[in-house]
Amino acid sequence: MSVTNRQELRTQLKLALPIFGGQLAQSANGFVDTVMSGRVSALDLAAVAVGASIWVPVFLFMTGMLMSATSVLARHVGANQLERINPLVHQVLAVALTIGLLSVLVLCNTEPLLRWMDVDPAIRPMVVDYLFGLSWGMPAIAIVLGLRSYTEAMSHTRPVLLISVIGLLANIPINYVLIYGKLGIPAMGGVGCGWATAIVMWIMAILMVIYVHRHRAYRSARLTFLPWHWEPKTAFYLVKLGLPVGLTIFFEVSVFCIIALLISQSGAVIVAGHQLALNFTSLVFMLPLSFALAATTRVGHARGRQDEPGLRIAILVAFKITVVIGVLMVTLLVAFRNWIPLIYTDNAQVIALASYLLLFAALYQVSDAVQVTTNGVLRGFEDTTIPMLLTLFAYWGVGLPIGYVLATTDLIVPAMGPSGFWLGLFAGLSSAALLLALRLRWRLGQPLH
């Protein structure tokens, strides 16, 4: 029997809000690292910042790779094929650990990349050591992400929040011990942040394993690790499904990185204003992203039940939530644009520019929320390859060229500087929303399987 709109709304709220809280807690770890390393020296802060610019995209790619596993698991939960959950999670964990180990190799061999990026030789050894320490935690965070797919598919997202908060609270004292050299451990400065992050990742992984193995919420499809099931065909399918999502995230992140590089030639005030506005909008983006993850689970459940009315209700509710969030974000950015920059700085010039750019950011909030939710729904259909190509075109074929022309040339209007790039982001995200909506419309006309 299909659920009502109100029941579906409550379910999606129950799923999404803990995910949102968990993502905020994980983001706060970066804030803690920045503050604590910055108190050592500017060089330590710079090393941590450069290191983060390398490992965070690797982490986001890994997140995307494992995100689609939720839809596969949710489909089996919806179909009440609970005997398949354990073997499927084994395949998810096998893929996760493989990606985690590959990430270790990438982060342990960044010296050539740092030279190519022309990173200051004074901080280069510190960045290498920071990434070496952090790399040891990548298999652990891969386990967390794999188990997150399992727990989301089981409609139990609370551990995402709980364990992320524990990780944040653990990060502060561990950072303190390793950065400043306490308990007989030599002071490591910014490099200590990397080792602290790795330790926190392992703490989170251990807690996640214990939680999902013992909590009664998973009683219907209890996760066990022995005997270990190995299904190469299923593992390959998970990679095939997840790789386009990982690449989609990479394409989006890379556009923001390219824009940051192009703006970096414009002076410190412009760079700071741009980064401030971008940081805050990235923070608020976590809210629609959390509901998109919930939508993936709900669509997967409905597909498993072969419940077309329930599927359509889930999608309708997801988009209603999305529009409300988008409008709220527009209101927040417009109404508080002069106060938001004060969270970050007291520089009057940076505040003025950031306040101006937040108006442009407000333009694309609804488009961004719609595109991320549509992508989440399509993941629930296990449809990832075509959406990847559509977003690639939207970001790189529409958004970046338009932004570049508006920002740096006089072809259409006099060169607009940073605001031109933000208009390009609006064009790219709006294009993505439209193209993905057309893809979803086509998908809803296909048989439900």
Side-chain angles (χ1 to χ4, degrees):
M1 187 175 80
S2 297
V3 298
T4 65
N5 282 23
R6 182 172 295 181
Q7 289 171 327
E8 182 64 33
L9 175 61
R10 282 200 300 264
T11 300
Q12 292 197 24
L13 286 170
K14 185 179 177 182
L15 284 172
L17 292 179
I19 296 174
F20 177 60
Q23 289 181 326
L24 285 179
Q26 289 179 13
S27 296
N29 278 316
F31 175 76
V32 168
D33 287 352
T34 300
V35 171
M36 296 185 75
S37 62
R39 292 185 180 276
V40 180
S41 75
L43 287 178
D44 287 87
L45 174 59
V48 169
V50 172
S53 71
I54 295 172
W55 83 265
V56 170
V58 174
F59 168 74
L60 291 174
F61 176 77
M62 181 192 300
T63 302
M65 281 286 295
L66 297 169
M67 201 179 279
S68 293
T70 303
S71 58
V72 179
L73 290 163
R75 172 164 52 86
H76 285 83
V77 171
N80 204 32
Q81 298 171 339
L82 301 180
E83 75 283 352
R84 284 292 299 149
I85 298 303
N86 214 50
L88 282 170
V89 175
H90 288 181
Q91 311 319 305
V92 174
L93 291 175
V95 172
L97 284 170
T98 301
I99 301 170
L101 292 172
L102 290 173
S103 299
V104 173
L105 292 176
V106 170
L107 297 181
C108 286
N109 293 277
T110 55
E111 179 71 34
L113 175 63
L114 296 174
R115 285 199 299 269
W116 179 75
M117 291 171 61
D118 197 26
V119 171
D120 185 351
I123 66 169
R124 202 177 295 167
M126 200 181 301
V127 176
V128 170
D129 291 343
Y130 166 84
L131 291 173
F132 177 76
L134 187 142
S135 69
W136 290 94
M138 296 305 283
I141 201 63
I143 292 171
V144 173
L145 293 171
L147 292 178
R148 189 178 85 168
S149 296
Y150 164 64
T151 194
E152 287 175 359
M154 295 293 289
S155 299
H156 189 61
T157 55
R158 192 176 303 164
V160 176
L161 171 60
L162 177 64
I163 292 170
S164 296
V165 170
I166 292 173
L168 172 61
L169 295 176
N171 189 39
I172 297 170
I174 296 172
N175 258 349
Y176 179 74
V177 169
L178 297 180
I179 291 173
Y180 300 107
K182 305 297 179 180
L183 303 178
I185 297 174
M188 302 172 70
V191 172
C193 290
W195 287 101
T197 300
I199 293 170
V200 168
M201 287 174 174
W202 278 108
I203 291 172
M204 293 172 64
I206 292 168
L207 291 175
M208 192 74 158
V209 169
I210 294 172
Y211 190 101
V212 301
H213 185 62
R214 303 191 63 174
H215 199 280
R216 63 179 180 273
Y218 309 96
R219 187 167 45 204
S220 60
R222 179 73 66 196
L223 180 60
T224 59
F225 299 101
L226 292 174
W228 186 268
H229 299 270
W230 177 233
E231 301 174 3
K233 186 176 180 180
T234 303
F236 177 76
Y237 177 70
L238 291 170
V239 172
K240 181 182 176 183
L241 196 65
L243 184 59
V245 181
L247 291 174
T248 298
I249 292 175
F250 176 78
F251 293 147
E252 185 170 2
V253 171
S254 60
V255 165
F256 284 97
C257 291
I258 292 294
I259 290 174
L261 287 173
L262 292 171
I263 287 177
S264 67
Q265 305 166 10
S266 305
V269 170
I270 290 177
V271 171
H274 169 77
Q275 286 301 121
L276 190 158
L278 184 60
N279 181 270
F280 187 79
T281 53
S282 299
L283 190 66
V284 299
F285 173 72
M286 291 180 188
L287 188 56
L289 175 61
S290 300
F291 280 95
L293 293 170
T296 299
T297 299
R298 296 301 293 161
V299 170
H301 285 167
R303 287 181 63 228
R305 295 192 307 270
Q306 291 292 295
D307 178 9
E308 185 159 354
L311 173 77
R312 292 184 179 275
I313 288 173
I315 294 173
L316 178 63
V317 169
F319 279 107
K320 285 182 177 179
I321 293 171
T322 292
V323 172
V324 170
I325 290 173
V327 172
L328 284 175
M329 293 304 100
V330 171
T331 304
L332 170 70
L333 292 175
V334 173
F336 296 99
R337 67 185 185 279
N338 293 319
W339 287 274
I340 291 169
L342 295 173
I343 300 171
Y344 298 85
T345 183
D346 57 2
N347 184 297
Q349 289 179 294
V350 174
I351 290 171
L353 178 59
S355 301
Y356 177 63
L357 293 179
L358 286 172
L359 286 174
F360 289 91
L363 286 175
Y364 67 69
Q365 291 307 303
V366 174
S367 298
D368 204 9
V370 168
Q371 70 87 18
V372 75
T373 299
T374 312
N375 236 329
V377 171
L378 288 168
R379 278 197 307 274
F381 282 104
E382 297 170 37
D383 183 2
T384 59
T385 301
I386 298 300
M388 175 196 70
L389 296 175
L390 295 176
T391 53
L392 173 62
F393 171 74
Y395 298 148
W396 285 86
V398 177
L400 189 59
I402 288 177
Y404 183 82
V405 168
L406 291 176
T408 65
T409 75
D410 300 326
L411 290 176
I412 301 175
V413 294
M416 299 176 65
S419 56
F421 284 115
W422 286 74
L423 285 174
L425 291 174
F426 168 69
L429 291 167
S430 299
S431 300
L434 175 62
L435 293 171
L436 291 170
L438 292 173
R439 176 66 179 178
L440 177 58
R441 182 181 178 184
W442 173 85
R443 188 64 189 79
L444 287 171
Q446 305 306 303
L448 185 60
H449 56 68

